[in-house]
Amino acid sequence: MRKNLTAEYAEKYAEDAEEFEKKKTGKPLRPLSAVRPYDVLISLRWSGKGEVSIAQNTETAAKLRCIACGATPVSASQDFRCTACGDLLEFFFPGWALDPLFSDPTSLKSLWLNRRTSRHALDQSGVWRFRELLPHIPNLEAHVITLREGNTPLYRLPRCARAAGVENLYAKHQGMNPTASFKDTGMTFAASSAHQSGFRWVACASTGNTSASMAAYAARGNMHSLVLIPDGKISWGKLSQSLDYGALTCQLRTDFDGCVQILNDLVRQKPVYLLNSVNPYRIEGQKTAAIELMEQLAWEPPDHIIVPGGNLGNSSAIGKALVEMRELKLISRLPRLSIIQAHGANPFYRCVREFGGKKLEPMTADTLATAIRIGNPASWKKALRVLQATGGEVEEVTEIEIAAAKAEIGADGIGCEPASAVTLAGLKKLRRSGFVKPAEAVVLILTGHALKDPDFTIKFHRGDLFADTPVPGTPDATEAAQAKNLQRAPVVLDANLGSVIAALDAAERSSSR
Ligand code: F0G
């Protein structure tokens, strides 16, 4: 029987690597089966004492490290924090330096590209396709849970580009994932790790998208899922998803930050696997959005990447991928990664602008972009590092700016949920401040699909989104005036041809295109 393409390619690749090693060292390569680049043994198991023990093979390519004290722990508490100092953990890859696979970026790029033609489930996933850059999960094939996530489109945004005053504007639409948000890329990886570790229950606190994603992946992996969400503060679309995928959904009378606290206490007492983005496997999976983006741009980095900031896991993940890709010479320079928050949920903006990155002061968050209604972001130190490494900026935007930007992205025929639109609103500010230049190439990371929050969209188009009109002469008043041009309230007509033709003619007269 004819071998499938992946197997053929893997064989060919193995031959190439052998040749390469012989040329370089004069010695033959160790057999691939013995030293996979990602051949790591890190398995997490519930110890019954509120701790997960992590068996690490010392010869491995990937290791866990604390971002603050640098400890490389062999066990982590169930809340995925360093047992020595309580800060966050991350994966790093000392084995990359030793492995010939990583000294040849061109071969890696061809390997990943070639997988696009494969029928293998792992290769069809836009996350697992890049598995060489991820920690290895032992006995992967038996544990992987994939919905063919990733593989999201990169669109040009011509209308938004004009509105923002840049020539080259793109959107990487992570809302085109299986559960319609970027969370799926991290979830496939972390849920597979939970499965491999033998957990029956997984859990998260969420503003709606993590819970939708986790519930779907848990269901696919035959695990139970527990969702903690703030009562009345997430969109119906997202809530309906976690119900449909069979999660135990608890609406707590608190905000997102309150849900996180309760969940952290819970995982210390119960054998429940935490799937919030403090889980370093989530970050690894989410890295792949940036790798895929670079592949889509023929490995020519844009000048800027702009992301929304909530709990700050996504910006950390994308930044980590950029730094790693440069280390591996997959890209020749770093794009600047900028993070945008809503004014009413801006603890990171204040951390950078007011406190010079020295401290983060938690706040009570409030914004109609409910996905990023977060006052105490867990990953702020990781995000800060990313800003510093890439030379990015942090901005805040008002509710009107968010609504106007969302309508503009919709008018480009793309659409997104409100939290994603902070990227365009932020770009406009970064243009005005001169941080982004007109000729620079910019990619906005759109994190969620337009249908995630139709209530917001309908209220905007009906003109019911805001109770107050902005003070004349303020930037909000200018935004509101521009946004009004984008409002398309539905018209209710008598059911006859004449009234439809009259509506059509009126629309044509006022059309700007
Ligand atoms: N955009 C959307 C659509 C989100 O759902 C989130 C976060 C963010 C942006 C911010 O990403 O937290 O990594 O900085 N949503 C989480 C949730 C918190 O529970 O769904 P972040």
Side-chain angles (χ1 to χ4, degrees):
M1 207 177 83
R2 192 174 182 276
K3 277 185 234 124
N4 71 30
L5 271 180
T6 327
E8 264 175 27
Y9 190 83
E11 231 172 62
K12 178 176 174 320
Y13 186 78
E15 278 164 22
D16 290 351
E18 211 153 326
E19 278 300 298
F20 177 83
E21 184 70 5
K22 256 198 247 159
K23 259 190 235 147
K24 207 173 70 171
T25 63
K27 281 187 246 148
L29 186 72
R30 287 164 297 174
L32 267 187
S33 56
V35 216
R36 295 299 303 171
Y38 40 82
D39 207 0
V40 193
L41 195 79
I42 296 181
S43 64
L44 309 179
R45 296 219 176 263
W46 169 251
S47 69
K49 292 179 292 184
E51 214 177 58
V52 274
S53 61
I54 302 169
Q56 289 199 40
N57 177 345
T58 47
E59 300 285 310
T60 60
K63 286 185 175 186
L64 277 176
R65 171 173 64 195
C66 170
I67 61 161
C69 72
T72 51
V74 289
S75 79
S77 55
Q78 187 90 348
D79 58 8
F80 283 107
R81 286 185 176 268
C82 172
T83 43
C85 76
D87 222 311
L88 297 186
L89 301 173
E90 66 177 353
F91 279 106
F92 73 113
F93 301 87
W96 284 354
L98 308 170
D99 200 293
L101 184 67
F102 297 101
S103 58
D104 185 1
T106 312
S107 299
L108 265 179
K109 289 174 188 174
S110 323
L111 174 68
W112 296 330
L113 195 62
N114 194 274
R115 283 182 182 151
R116 293 191 80 112
T117 59
S118 161
R119 296 213 180 115
H120 195 291
L122 282 182
D123 296 341
Q124 287 183 357
S125 159
V127 172
W128 297 98
R129 193 157 70 83
F130 300 106
R131 52 195 175 271
E132 283 72 16
L133 298 196
L134 305 175
H136 178 53
I137 292 182
N139 197 9
L140 180 62
E141 301 266 343
H143 297 293
V144 71
I145 308 167
T146 173
L147 288 163
R148 315 298 188 272
E149 50 292 312
N151 300 316
T152 57
L154 181 68
Y155 298 121
R156 264 188 184 275
L157 294 178
R159 180 187 176 117
C160 295
R162 281 196 299 279
V166 291
E167 283 157 32
N168 289 306
L169 181 61
Y170 300 87
K172 171 82 173 148
H173 207 327
Q174 294 297 93
M176 300 298 187
N177 266 293
T179 76
S181 86
F182 73 99
K183 304 289 181 180
D184 295 341
T185 54
M187 204 54 75
T188 181
F189 200 57
S192 301
S193 142
H195 193 273
Q196 189 277 330
S197 305
F199 280 82
R200 272 170 57 76
W201 279 90
V202 294
C204 72
S206 180
T207 55
N209 279 327
T210 302
S211 45
S213 179
M214 178 190 75
Y217 282 84
R220 298 293 295 172
N222 261 326
M223 295 182 289
H224 298 290
S225 62
L226 167 70
V227 161
L228 302 186
I229 44 172
D231 185 29
K233 293 179 195 125
I234 77 165
S235 80
W236 286 107
K238 297 174 190 177
L239 175 62
S240 72
Q241 283 182 291
S242 69
L243 302 181
D244 220 31
Y245 303 137
L248 167 56
T249 305
C250 303
Q251 296 176 266
L252 304 188
R253 290 187 202 94
T254 178
D255 54 12
F256 169 80
D257 302 294
C259 292
V260 169
Q261 263 179 23
I262 291 174
L263 185 63
N264 282 338
D265 292 343
L266 179 85
V267 297
R268 289 184 199 113
Q269 290 189 25
K270 288 282 182 187
V272 170
Y273 186 93
L274 180 70
L275 276 176
N276 276 86
S277 58
V278 293
N279 179 327
Y281 284 96
R282 280 272 315 275
I283 302 295
E284 292 301 307
Q286 282 175 211
K287 274 186 347 190
T288 56
I291 308 171
E292 188 178 87
L293 170 65
M294 291 307 144
E295 186 186 65
Q296 286 166 316
L297 293 170
W299 303 97
E300 185 52 51
D303 299 293
H304 296 272
I305 298 179
I306 302 184
V307 284
N311 214 17
L312 299 171
N314 200 31
S315 33
S316 305
I318 290 173
K320 186 172 193 284
L322 295 174
V323 170
E324 288 175 358
M325 281 189 283
R326 200 189 47 177
E327 259 170 45
L328 292 173
K329 301 196 168 52
L330 290 161
I331 53 175
S332 56
R333 62 187 171 85
L334 285 176
R336 291 178 192 273
L337 189 132
S338 295
I339 300 173
I340 317 296
Q341 294 205 296
H343 171 70
N346 66 353
F348 186 62
Y349 172 84
R350 288 177 41 238
C351 158
V352 176
R353 294 284 181 103
E354 284 175 30
F355 309 124
K358 298 271 184 311
K359 63 167 182 173
L360 181 127
E361 219 168 65
M363 65 185 289
T364 303
D366 194 16
T367 167
L368 292 174
T370 52
I372 50 172
R373 190 177 187 159
I374 294 173
N376 190 12
S379 295
W380 70 273
K381 288 185 191 163
K382 288 187 180 178
L384 189 65
R385 238 177 20 180
V386 159
L387 280 193
Q388 287 162 349
T390 68
E393 189 49 289
V394 58
E395 251 311 342
E396 62 166 359
V397 292
T398 65
E399 298 292 296
I400 288 183
E401 287 170 328
I402 296 171
K406 186 179 124 44
E408 245 147 20
I409 294 167
D412 244 331
I414 306 293
C416 64
E417 70 164 285
S420 309
V422 301
T423 53
L424 178 63
L427 169 62
K428 289 184 186 172
K429 283 198 145 168
L430 295 175
R431 262 295 295 121
R432 285 201 290 272
S433 73
F435 182 76
V436 174
K437 313 273 182 305
E440 288 180 326
V442 182
V443 176
L444 309 180
I445 306 291
L446 301 184
T447 45
H449 196 278
L451 291 177
K452 282 283 191 176
D453 194 354
D455 267 5
F456 182 105
T457 311
I458 289 172
K459 281 187 185 154
F460 171 82
H461 287 286
R462 287 195 169 138
D464 306 337
L465 196 57
F466 303 111
D468 306 323
T469 42
V471 181
T474 59
D476 262 0
T478 318
E479 282 293 331
Q482 282 167 8
K484 222 172 168 44
N485 292 331
L486 295 166
Q487 276 173 8
R488 298 281 179 273
V491 280
V492 180
L493 303 172
D494 287 334
N496 62 61
L497 183 60
S499 52
V500 176
I501 289 179
L504 183 67
D505 289 345
E508 177 58 27
R509 278 195 299 279
S510 64
S511 162
S512 55
R513 288 191 201 191

